Amino acid sequence: MSLSNEADEEFRRRYGPWVVIAGASEGIGQAYADQLAAKGVNLITLARRAELLEADARKLRAQYGVEVRPVSLDLAAPDLATSFSAAIDGIDVGLLVYNACYSHIGKFLGVPLADHLRTLDVNCRGPVTLVEHVAPRLIARGRGGILLMSSMSGFQGSAMVTSYAATKAFNTILAESLWVELRPLGVDVLACVAGATSTPGFENSTPEAKKGKAMPMAAADVAREGLAALPHGPVHIAGRINRLVNAVSRLMTRRQRTSFFSGATQDIYTT
């Protein structure tokens, strides 16, 4: 047996046979789905757009021979707990990947209240709800994992993405806290912190002339690092440049960091 097959077998033993991916229809979530299917685990993929999930499920089944169950689900819905419980009923889930996020770029007072509240629902209430349902199953198994996607924006405040940045700080701290509580029970927890990433969301929201300034990573590279770092939580920053930027920014005061990152964000997203 090759080393890669041995590694995949160990991954399936610890995190299989089923993985839930929230926010799987595109970008980093889609990259997670592809890489996890390649490891031979079955998938429950969650997102609102059923047609994208179905198309990806057909491809993954054909390419890797795994089971894929796409579930159209609104992670901001008031009945999320009930809908998610039904989606995983009777399934032996070994890993939860919460990649879904919502953001509305713009000055705080220029963003409708409904968008601020949806950001809180998808980015904070969503992962808490899914973790609350999955964690007891993982504890009972004595093995498994929880991977929450976070962002460099969550390390300090930032203009133009105020609510989003605050929710990503929540995600990182949530993962760190869960790591302490669940690690002794056999459950790995990781916050995978991404910087700018080449996803449809990034492409659609970033002016063409400013995309190069953001130095986006490929979604597949972010997902690959997240899966590799999962056993080594609680936090992993994806990308050498992002790790360097974070290290340098730690030499600044919090006020300086907030001003620096706010300036960079405003430069990218304002014309």
Side-chain angles (χ1 to χ4, degrees), residues 21-38:
I21 307 173
S25 59
E26 63 181 26
I28 298 172
Q30 191 177 49
Y32 273 121
D34 184 77
Q35 292 177 26
L36 286 163

Side-chain angles (χ1 to χ4, degrees), residues 150-157 165 168-169 172 193 235 237 242 246 249-250 254 257-258 261:
S150 191
S151 168
M152 295 281 287
S153 299
F155 286 146
Q156 65 287 305
K168 289 304 171 180
T172 301
V193 179
V235 177
I237 300 173
N242 291 328
N246 180 67
S249 72
R250 293 298 167 184
R254 191 164 191 90
R257 289 203 309 272
T258 301
F261 283 99

Side-chain angles (χ1 to χ4, degrees), residues 133-148:
H133 277 67
V134 168
R137 295 166 172 246
L138 304 181
I139 293 170
R141 287 161 37 109
R143 67 189 190 282
I146 296 168
L147 194 162
L148 306 181

Side-chain angles (χ1 to χ4, degrees), residues 3 7 9 13 44 74 95 119 133-134 136 142 155 165 180 218 233 267:
L3 290 177
E9 184 175 313
R13 187 200 68 79
I44 298 176
D74 184 354
L95 173 63
T119 301
H133 277 67
V134 168
F155 286 146
V180 174
D267 181 47

